[in-house]
Amino acid sequence: MLETTNPLLRAARAANSVAFALQGFFLAVILTELPQQRDKFGLTDTLIVAAVAMISLLAGGGSITAEKIALRWSSRTALRVGLLLIAASGVGVAFSPNKFVLFAALGVYGIAVGIVDAGTNMQAVFIQHGYGRFVLSSFYAAWSGGSIIGALFVSAFEALNVPLWASILTASAVVLAGALAAGPRLLGTGQAEAGPAEPEPVGTVPTRVFLIFGVVLALAFAIDFAVGNWSALFLTDVLLSSSATAALALAAYQGASLIGRLTGDVLVRRFGPRMVVRAASSVGVVGLIVVVSAPHPVVAIIGFLIAGIGLPLIAPLCFSEAGQLTSGRGLDALIARLNLFNYAGTLVGGVVVGGISAAANLRAGFVVPLLFAFVLIGFAQVFHTRTGGTGAAVRADTEHASLDK
């Protein structure tokens, strides 16, 4: 195993983990506060769905914006801009006087989400290059941890009867403080994007390979979003559970995903990406079969827990594999464009599952993510059998890192 003693890389890894956690934290706050926003502004369920879809669509534009910023300055600049925009959008949401201003603030948030998603993954791949071994899963574990903290944050503030505006404003302050603390420690241009003097076009990467990893990423996020968006309703509407019990479905999935992602780096280094993707997809299939066939809420919760152990490992492996296709500025562009499949997946996970559920029921709707998990087993073949290398090493200040066997 390769071990780095470079403090710059360790600091960047910690800072980027904070950025991932802040992203998960604030997303959980926004999503779990939607019912309160609905009551405050008299929003219909259709408008709630439209708001979520709008955030996903604008996030795609944010990802392209991150590419432009990174090519002009650096991925660190893109990520810092995105985090500051999230904090600013939170202030807008907190003090929205009507639903029109609320939607405008959520629109800004959507753009910020895309910038941060792309920026964090750019930094993660560059940091992994510096370590010379797979570490990407740990960043996604930080995201899962942040999302759990965000949900608990909202629950605590609701229990204390804290006003909605104060809750969101406090969450924005957390993001702002985290961004100011972590931002300077991220990898700058000299350590990350240093490489080709000119931006390396994504066209130099085989289009077929790029699209394959994009499809895998879309399928993984479609399953993830389907669970996040529909699991509670599946328990209440189909299995007739209480709301309190229904909330445990997502908690089980997210808790399992945190455990899976915390162990993912070790598993990939030991068994290789291909075997991990195949095993993770297979475990996901088992879990979703349990969900689809569940006769009782407890059985469904167990199914979501099983699925969460494996499926959330796949997305970081897509970015890791893509990170070996190019380097320097070209890697910024590649990650930003690959990240677009994230939002394609979330839209599919929301719209397709929701459409089938409207026509039949949510049990039938969850057959879709089950089929996606089956497809992912086949796609495992496109991943490397062993980690081997992790692409070009981080240059400049990190290239003199002491690496020992």
Side-chain angles (χ1 to χ4, degrees):
M1 185 191 304
L2 294 174
E3 194 69 33
T4 183
T5 59
N6 191 328
L8 178 66
L9 276 175
R10 291 201 304 271
R13 184 178 181 183
N16 201 43
S17 295
V18 170
F20 265 94
L22 291 173
Q23 172 76 308
F25 166 78
F26 200 78
L27 178 62
V29 170
I30 289 294
L31 291 180
T32 52
E33 294 280 24
L34 280 177
Q36 290 90 322
Q37 299 285 9
R38 178 184 59 189
D39 296 340
K40 177 180 178 180
F41 295 109
L43 303 177
T44 63
D45 288 342
T46 301
L47 282 176
I48 293 292
V49 172
V52 174
M54 177 190 70
I55 290 172
S56 294
L57 288 171
L58 289 175
S63 190
I64 295 300
T65 302
E67 175 189 345
K68 304 301 182 185
I69 296 174
L71 292 179
R72 176 65 178 85
W73 290 286
S74 69
S75 54
R76 175 170 67 182
T77 301
L79 180 48
R80 295 174 78 175
V81 167
L83 288 172
L84 292 176
L85 271 180
I86 285 181
S89 69
V91 175
V93 171
F95 293 112
S96 294
N98 54 58
K99 61 186 176 183
F100 301 106
V101 177
L102 173 66
F103 267 66
L106 289 175
V108 174
Y109 172 67
I111 295 171
V113 163
I115 296 174
V116 173
D117 276 345
T120 50
N121 280 295
M122 290 173 190
Q123 283 280 314
V125 173
F126 284 123
I127 291 166
Q128 178 168 281
H129 285 183
Y131 270 78
R133 58 189 171 89
F134 187 81
V135 297
L136 246 162
S137 186
S138 65
F139 292 115
Y140 280 75
W143 188 97
S144 296
S147 67
I148 293 171
I149 293 172
L152 293 175
F153 170 89
V154 172
S155 177
F157 272 52
E158 285 294 307
L160 295 171
N161 293 316
V162 176
L164 178 61
W165 66 267
S167 174
I168 296 177
L169 193 64
T170 303
S172 298
V174 170
V175 174
L176 178 60
L180 293 176
R185 294 174 173 79
L186 296 166
L187 294 182
T189 307
Q191 303 91 36
E193 283 85 0
E198 297 296 328
E200 185 175 335
V202 177
T204 60
V205 175
T207 302
R208 178 174 174 274
V209 176
F210 171 76
L211 290 177
I212 286 174
F213 285 121
V215 170
V216 173
L217 191 67
L219 292 174
F221 276 112
I223 297 170
D224 197 68
F225 189 79
V227 174
N229 207 47
W230 301 110
S231 58
L233 285 175
F234 173 68
L235 264 70
T236 55
D237 294 358
V238 177
L239 301 179
L240 306 179
S241 77
S242 66
S243 297
T245 300
L248 296 177
L250 183 56
Y253 181 84
Q254 290 288 13
S257 74
L258 176 60
I259 295 172
R261 285 168 169 173
L262 284 172
T263 58
D265 290 340
V266 174
L267 292 174
V268 172
R269 293 198 293 266
R270 181 171 182 180
F271 300 107
R274 182 180 298 175
M275 185 176 292
V276 170
V277 171
R278 185 175 289 129
S281 303
S282 300
V283 170
V285 166
V286 172
L288 290 172
I289 287 176
V290 172
V291 169
V292 170
S293 59
H296 188 273
V298 173
V299 178
I301 291 170
I302 293 172
F304 284 120
L305 185 148
I306 295 171
I309 293 172
L311 291 169
L313 287 172
I314 297 173
L317 275 166
C318 287
F319 286 109
S320 176
E321 293 283 300
Q324 300 181 53
L325 300 176
T326 185
S327 62
R329 299 290 189 178
L331 185 53
D332 283 334
L334 178 66
I335 296 299
R337 297 180 194 184
L338 184 63
N339 189 56
L340 293 174
F341 288 91
N342 173 348
Y343 311 116
T346 58
L347 286 173
V348 169
V351 175
V352 174
V353 173
I356 293 176
S357 301
N361 57 49
L362 273 169
R363 191 183 297 276
F366 268 103
V367 171
V368 175
L370 171 59
L371 294 176
F372 287 170
F374 267 116
V375 173
L376 286 173
I377 295 176
F379 272 119
Q381 191 64 27
V382 305
F383 290 80
H384 286 93
T385 54
R386 304 296 298 175
T387 52
T390 54
V394 177
R395 294 166 175 83
D397 291 341
T398 63
E399 65 183 0
H400 58 267
S402 174
L403 298 175
D404 304 310
K405 291 287 185 182

